[in-house]
Each structure stands twice: as C-alpha cells, then as structure tokens.
Amino acid sequence: MKMIGKIGLGILIIAVSALSIHAVQDAPTDENFEKKLVNDYNVYALPLPEKMDFAGEPVPLHNPDIRERMDRELLVNTYWQSNGLLLFKRANKYFPQIEPLLKKYGLPDDFKYLAVAESGLEYQSSPAGASGIWHFMKGTGLEYGLEINDYVDERYNLEKATMVAAEYLKKSKEKFGSWTMAAASYNAGVGGMNKQINRQKETSYYDLLLNTETSRYVFRILALKEIMNNPQKYGFNFREKDLYTNIPTYTVKVDTPVDDWSEWVKPYGINYKILKLHNPWLRDTYLKNASGKEYFIEIPEKGYYQ
C-alpha cells in the first residue's frame, strides 16, 4: 500500500509539473508575464523557412551559400532581443504611416522592412551622415529635390522622404530588372552595383560577390520581414499595450518666417520639444522663410500630452 501510495504521489507530481510547464508555455498574460520574462530564455538553432521572397521575388534557398547567409541574419536578428522588441514597438507606430505611402508611391509593401533595416524606424543620422527613417545622404536628397539646409531637412519628413525613396527604387528596378537588385542598390549605390555587374558578368543579387555590408543587406531585410511577421515563432512575446502608438495630429500652414518656434507653439498648448517630436524636419529654433514657401506643421490633438 505504501508503494502504491508513493507511485500515486509520483504520478500526481508529474501531472502537476506538466500543468506548470504548460502554464509557462501559454501566451503571456498580466499574471504570468513577469514569470515568463525571467524564466523563458533559451537559445535554439533556427529552422529556415521552406520558401522566402522579397516583393514576390523568390529567394534561392536551395543554394547552400544562400542558406548560410540567410541563417546568419535570422540568428543575429532573432537573438538581438532588445533591439527586436523595440522594432516591434516602433513598427506598431510607424507601419500604419509607411504602408499607405508605399502604396501611394508605387512600391511593394516589403520595402517597409528596408526602412527598418536602414534606421530601425528612428529619425536619426548615421555616422556617415545618412539621415531620416529612409537614411538618405545629403547629396542624394538634394539631387531628388528635398530641401536640406540649416532650418529644414526634408529627409526627416516621412512622406517626402518616402516619395523620394520610391522614385529612387523604381528607377533602380527599371535599370536592374528586379526589386531585389533595387534594394541592394539602395545600399551599394547604382554605380556600385553597375561596377560589379560589369566585372562579374552577373545580373542577380544572389549571384554577385559584393562587399560585406551589401552582401548581408537584402538578407537582413528578409530576416526582419520573417521575424516581424512571425513574432512568437522567434520568441518575441508582447501585449498590445506594450507597443508604441501614433499620436493623432492636425496640420497648420506656415508661409512666413518664424522668429522663435518655442513662442510660436504656445497657442497650441505644446512646447518646442513636442513640436520637434512631430516635425523632426525642423532643424533649428527658428525659420528663415523670405520666399514665403508653404510648410505644413503637425500639431498633436489635445489631451495626449499633459
């Protein structure tokens, strides 16, 4: 009887353990989220998807070199967890703005992941001087008609920068014949891609030997697309309330000089910092506008900033 009792107790312990494991593996809730955060850290080799594509163009995963390069970017971007979570948070804020702009200007939706790869969806500048979410160099921005000076830098204007990115990428696609090559040229430049095509007598991104940065570039975009479309598959757990959201705004037209933006914003119930958060393309505390050019300033709706 004692032995039977011990066996029964053992079965009960196993059953309870199984239920506990199942509970830990459940999707996070307010009650178990902190416990999962502390206990759910494991590192695994990642199985590659059977098929992948960029803008509808297939990735030749049957090629061992391509598989290794894809595997590397999936691993790097999966196990850089803090950055990955920040990308999910920012994407919830910026993808609803970027997606209709891509459609408006004739780019496949997958190019939103190029913006993620370029800037991490931050209005920032790279060490080389590429700026804005689409990371244009100053010369390229000026070439495509963006205003860039001490007072205004339209590389930080999401709609105008997206319009220019679309123009650049569509021209590249027309020249090189594929969206994949257009994406690669965004990193290496049209001249850089032309040089390698002429040297190597190949026209496919996947058949060209390129510099380290460009050879990883499209694979990083592909990895971000795969991970961001399948967060739980790659171990990213979050709740809707953890994500960043866009603040509704309305526009105010300005066609005169502004002596001091911090004074100008006072009637709208915000300060200079909030003005800059919503209009990062304003680059100084005042605006010289002798020509009377029209600018449209985004002002947040009332009630979102206290």
Side-chain angles (χ1 to χ4, degrees):
M1 290 295 292
K2 289 182 179 180
M3 181 61 67
I4 292 173
K6 288 180 179 179
I7 292 172
L9 180 61
I11 292 171
L12 179 61
I13 291 171
I14 291 170
V16 170
S17 299
L19 287 172
S20 299
I21 292 170
H22 178 72
V24 171
Q25 291 175 341
D26 283 343
T29 64
D30 285 345
E31 290 73 26
N32 71 12
F33 193 81
E34 185 175 349
K35 184 177 180 181
K36 288 180 68 64
L37 181 68
V38 174
N39 296 325
D40 264 14
Y41 184 78
N42 295 284
V43 178
Y44 298 98
L46 301 173
L48 285 180
E50 292 185 8
K51 294 181 180 180
M52 300 183 76
D53 72 89
F54 178 74
E57 300 169 359
V59 181
L61 290 172
H62 57 275
N63 183 320
D65 165 62
I66 302 303
R67 291 184 67 82
E68 288 186 18
R69 290 159 70 187
M70 191 68 254
D71 184 55
R72 174 182 180 171
E73 299 308 316
L74 270 178
L75 285 168
V76 168
N77 288 282
T78 296
Y79 290 114
W80 190 6
Q81 294 96 331
S82 58
N83 185 68
L85 274 174
L86 284 169
L87 294 182
F88 280 109
K89 289 170 179 276
R90 294 181 195 134
N92 192 66
K93 180 178 181 179
Y94 288 111
F95 277 2
Q97 300 175 61
I98 293 173
E99 288 164 353
L101 290 173
L102 293 177
K103 185 175 181 179
K104 177 179 178 180
Y105 295 116
L107 280 185
D109 190 68
D110 278 0
F111 276 98
K112 66 191 178 190
Y113 303 107
L114 184 149
V116 178
E118 281 289 336
S119 65
L121 299 178
E122 288 190 286
Y123 286 105
Q124 38 102 313
S125 184
S126 75
S131 297
I133 280 181
W134 289 98
H135 262 195
F136 283 114
M137 296 296 290
K138 182 176 181 179
T140 306
L142 291 171
E143 178 186 348
Y144 279 81
L146 294 179
E147 181 179 354
I148 303 172
N149 53 49
D150 291 340
Y151 316 104
V152 170
D153 188 339
E154 291 182 332
R155 291 177 293 175
Y156 294 88
N157 182 306
L158 184 56
E159 176 157 10
K160 292 188 176 183
T162 304
M163 178 176 65
V164 169
E167 187 176 347
Y168 181 97
L169 288 161
K170 286 188 290 186
K171 283 184 178 178
S172 296
K173 200 259 187 182
E174 185 177 342
K175 182 174 185 62
F176 296 119
S178 74
W179 288 118
T180 304
M181 284 289 283
S185 77
Y186 199 88
N187 179 259
V190 171
M193 295 302 290
N194 262 334
K195 180 179 179 181
Q196 295 307 321
I197 288 170
N198 293 332
R199 288 182 63 190
Q200 300 179 44
K201 307 299 186 291
E202 293 287 354
T203 58
S204 168
Y205 171 79
Y206 300 109
D207 292 327
L208 286 166
L209 182 63
L210 301 166
N211 66 69
T212 301
E213 183 179 347
T214 308
S215 70
R216 294 183 64 180
Y217 187 70
V218 172
F219 289 96
R220 185 181 180 204
I221 295 169
L222 288 164
L224 290 167
K225 174 186 174 181
E226 169 66 14
I227 294 165
M228 296 181 80
N229 277 289
N230 303 283
Q232 290 192 336
K233 176 181 176 182
Y234 294 96
F236 290 96
N237 297 284
F238 46 83
R239 301 155 296 182
E240 187 69 24
K241 67 181 181 181
D242 296 321
L243 304 176
Y244 303 153
T245 56
N246 190 42
I247 303 299
T249 63
Y250 60 95
T251 58
V252 175
K253 184 175 75 172
V254 171
D255 56 8
T256 62
V258 175
D259 295 329
D260 187 344
W261 283 116
S262 61
E263 289 294 329
W264 184 90
V265 298
K266 284 183 178 179
Y268 300 101
I270 59 172
N271 56 30
Y272 177 70
K273 181 188 77 171
I274 302 303
L275 174 75
K276 282 279 290 180
L277 287 176
H278 289 275
N279 301 274
W281 52 274
L282 295 173
R283 304 311 293 169
D284 211 328
T285 57
Y286 64 102
L287 175 68
K288 284 189 174 181
N289 188 16
S291 65
K293 182 177 178 178
E294 290 185 350
Y295 297 96
F296 293 90
I297 310 300
E298 299 285 336
I299 303 294
E301 298 282 357
K302 290 182 179 180
Y304 287 92
Y305 296 101
Q306 304 302 319

